[in-house]
Amino acid sequence: MPHTIVSNICEGIADCQDACPVGCIHKGEGMNKKGTDYYFINYTTCIDCGICLKVCPVEGAIISEERPDLQINS
Ligand code: SF4
Ligand code: SF4
């Protein structure tokens, strides 16, 4: 199952984008509710490797489920 970036927990640090082996993490438009940049995962290209979840420093920003209701621009 693809992973999800919870848009309003993400702080836009982008460690996940650099680490993703298939380049499926993209910057969202505008700001989230925290007032920071945020990123989102393209579900059609995510291979569910889990690397993004391991490198993200923000607790709860990435979850190992497909939850389009939590992710802006999915
Ligand atoms: S999901 Fe985590 S590593 Fe990726 S941009 Fe958001 S805070 Fe940074
Ligand atoms: S699970 Fe893997 S392929 Fe999917 S977004 Fe995270 S790093 Fe990229």
Side-chain angles (χ1 to χ4, degrees):
M1 185 182 288
H3 284 49
T4 291
I5 295 178
V6 183
S7 307
N8 288 314
I9 295 179
C10 175
E11 296 182 1
I13 296 158
D15 289 354
C16 58
Q17 187 183 41
D18 294 340
C20 177
V22 295
C24 69
I25 299 180
H26 308 286
K27 192 170 179 295
E29 283 184 27
M31 302 282 176
N32 63 13
K33 285 188 181 162
K34 283 182 171 175
T36 71
D37 291 337
Y38 65 94
Y39 285 72
F40 67 95
I41 292 170
N42 181 336
Y43 292 138
T44 61
T45 46
C46 176
I47 57 168
D48 193 26
C49 68
I51 291 171
C52 54
L53 182 56
K54 289 197 185 93
V55 302
C56 177
V58 178
E59 174 111 33
I62 301 182
I63 56 174
S64 58
E65 294 177 75
E66 184 170 340
R67 288 289 304 275
D69 54 315
L70 298 177
Q71 178 176 268
I72 303 168
N73 283 2
S74 58

